[in-house]
Amino acid sequence: MSTADDDVVGTRRMLAPTTARLRRIHIDQVHRPPWPEFASFDPSAWPHALRQAAAVQWAGRARAEHGSVQQFTQLAHALTHACAPLELHGALARLVTDEVRHAELCAQMALVCDPQGEREHAAWMRWPPPTEPWSPPPLTGADAAAIFAWAAGAIAIACCLGETLSRPMLDAIATVATCPVAEAVARQIGRDEHLHATFGWDALASLLPRLDAAGRDHVEASFARGLGALELTTCCGITLAEVAGQQLEITRTDVPNLGTLSDLQYAMIFYATVEREIMPKLDALGLPAARLWAQRG
């Protein structure tokens, strides 16, 4: 199969077998009980269009989680060059393991939702390499001070923003899902996200005192850039002005749901989390939260 085909037909390759011993190591390290019972999912019980729509979202989540594996391994690589405290590496090792688990869970959910999708070359089933996560890339040839500044900016985007936002979104996905398998997947992933966000804020608090003025400027610019990028990719064009004053209520209804949210729900969760969690934490670190929000872009 060609590389081009691999880009289109690939989600199943995330779950490709290796050897019996490697599988045992993988399961012991990555799987966490209770593991969702994917074999219990009955595709015939759900409308085809609903399963396809869910597969789009779950396959996209699988690619995002796979990208997080790259993010955190590159972060660990850079911090090794700076001889960062080993406690940072121990925590990062846990995060990498978690992201492998999350990618597997999401890929498996996408495949049970639409088992024919790959055979039909469905575009949402593709598995290309992750987009290079950092600009600039890790500064492994620089001195420790520069690496710490780069790492602090990376942690600001990936953990303080990304993981903090992920937790309430997964809570919402688990709440609206009327499928027990989809709910189990969301709850399995969601149990890790609080730890990931906590790592981000604690790691940043540890790194900030090491930074000079230029390093702190880099962190502030990273937050502003990250807020803008996440607003763009999460809110689907829905602005803060459009949702201001609205009440967000996430409940389970009788409408069949395989773990998907509407654009409006994503946007409202984003803005509520920024206001209630991210802004206060920025202020607590001595960073200018209101200015960074105003400068997002």
Side-chain angles (χ1 to χ4, degrees):
M1 184 177 290
S2 70
T3 301
D5 285 339
D6 283 352
D7 283 350
V8 175
V9 186
T11 302
R12 195 177 304 276
R13 291 193 297 117
M14 285 194 184
L15 311 174
T18 51
T19 71
R21 280 178 290 194
L22 286 176
R23 175 168 175 75
R24 185 72 260 161
I25 293 169
H26 171 81
I27 290 174
D28 289 346
Q29 180 75 1
V30 172
H31 286 202
R32 173 179 291 172
W35 194 252
E37 296 182 10
F38 291 106
S40 69
F41 184 85
D42 179 10
S44 67
W46 303 88
H48 180 63
L50 184 70
R51 289 191 290 105
Q52 280 193 325
V56 170
Q57 289 201 21
W58 284 111
R61 291 169 191 156
R63 292 191 296 274
E65 301 290 358
H66 180 239
S68 293
V69 175
Q70 183 185 32
Q71 285 186 340
F72 292 135
T73 51
Q74 287 192 351
L75 179 59
H77 180 63
L79 287 173
T80 302
H81 278 262
C83 295
L86 289 178
E87 289 184 0
L88 275 171
H89 288 287
L92 270 171
R94 161 66 192 269
L95 266 62
V96 171
T97 300
D98 290 346
E99 299 300 353
V100 173
R101 173 167 54 253
H102 301 172
E104 180 173 357
L105 287 163
C106 293
Q108 189 66 265
M109 191 66 212
L111 288 172
V112 298
C113 283
D114 189 14
Q116 299 298 320
E118 288 194 313
R119 297 185 185 92
E120 297 168 0
H121 282 210
W124 59 81
M125 288 294 187
R126 70 192 187 283
W127 187 33
T131 302
E132 187 62 31
W134 308 117
S135 180
L139 305 174
T140 53
D143 60 23
I147 295 175
F148 283 135
W150 176 89
I155 289 168
I157 294 172
C159 296
C160 300
L161 296 181
E163 300 290 347
T164 299
L165 286 161
S166 180
R167 181 192 51 75
M169 289 181 181
L170 283 159
D171 286 345
I173 290 166
T175 298
V176 302
T178 58
C179 166
V181 180
E183 179 184 0
V185 170
R187 295 206 185 280
Q188 174 96 223
I189 299 172
R191 287 205 298 271
D192 296 325
E193 303 301 71
H194 178 71
L195 181 146
H196 293 195
T198 299
F199 164 82
W201 294 108
D202 282 10
L204 189 58
S206 174
L207 291 173
L208 280 175
R210 301 171 180 261
L211 307 185
D212 58 16
R216 289 181 69 90
D217 287 346
H218 174 72
V219 171
E220 292 184 11
S222 297
F223 270 115
R225 185 172 68 252
L227 285 166
L230 285 166
E231 183 180 26
L232 179 67
T233 57
T234 304
C235 296
C236 307
I238 299 172
T239 66
L240 177 58
E242 292 176 77
V243 301
Q246 294 189 40
Q247 294 296 315
L248 175 65
E249 184 178 4
I250 302 290
T251 59
R252 182 172 298 170
T253 68
D254 294 333
V255 178
N257 188 298
L258 289 168
T260 61
L261 298 174
S262 68
D263 291 352
L264 180 60
Q265 287 172 324
Y266 275 121
M268 292 188 70
I269 292 169
F270 173 86
Y271 291 120
T273 306
V274 168
E275 178 184 8
R276 298 171 188 171
E277 295 190 44
I278 291 173
M279 301 290 275
K281 285 182 167 62
L282 288 171
D283 284 330
L285 286 174
L287 297 171
R291 176 164 63 79
L292 298 182
W293 174 251
Q295 291 176 340
R296 69 194 187 280

